[in-house]
Amino acid sequence: VIELQEQSERVAANTEGGNDGAQLGLAVRPLDADERQQADTDGLLVEQVSGPAAAAGVQQGDIIVGVNGARVKTVKALQEATRKAGRVVALLIQRDGEQIFLPVRIS
């Protein structure tokens, strides 16, 4: 059941419409239990990156932990946070144990 849910969330992140993961150029999925423990955080793993997110410096393997100051743990939370945003979305990314903010300009 969890695997099916993760697959459906991956698909949801790739759908068009609104300021969601697709407009950012991201394909993401929730971290599994082992990944959460290893990263010592909760968030969304970037599986593919293109477009505005790639131009902003987001990389495959990054973990998105927040959007515009709000923590995100699900694809739905990412979609809601980016829908509420304007033309720039501030992503809080965890990479190599460090957290950085990356502004992503949505065209």
Side-chain angles (χ1 to χ4, degrees):
V1 174
I2 293 172
E3 189 172 318
L4 292 175
Q5 180 183 7
E6 287 180 359
Q7 183 64 31
S8 69
E9 287 188 317
R10 262 188 231 125
V11 171
N14 287 308
T15 58
E16 295 295 332
N19 289 344
D20 61 14
Q23 283 205 327
L24 293 173
L26 294 171
V28 301
R29 68 167 174 82
L31 294 173
D32 65 30
D34 290 338
E35 291 166 335
R36 277 194 306 273
Q37 185 177 7
Q38 184 178 9
D40 194 27
T41 193
D42 206 358
L44 300 170
L45 180 67
V46 176
E47 292 192 317
Q48 295 178 348
V49 61
S50 62
V58 179
Q59 300 175 9
Q60 184 176 353
D62 284 349
I63 301 168
I64 299 173
V65 294
V67 177
N68 292 343
R71 300 292 277 189
V72 293
K73 297 179 184 179
T74 65
V75 172
K76 184 177 180 179
L78 171 65
Q79 291 170 330
E80 289 175 5
T82 55
R83 254 192 293 279
K84 294 176 185 175
R87 294 202 173 271
V88 177
V89 176
L91 297 180
L92 178 59
I93 302 289
Q94 182 164 314
R95 180 186 300 157
D96 299 326
E98 301 288 326
Q99 290 191 351
I100 56 172
F101 278 102
L102 292 176
V104 180
R105 185 170 304 277
I106 302 170
S107 53

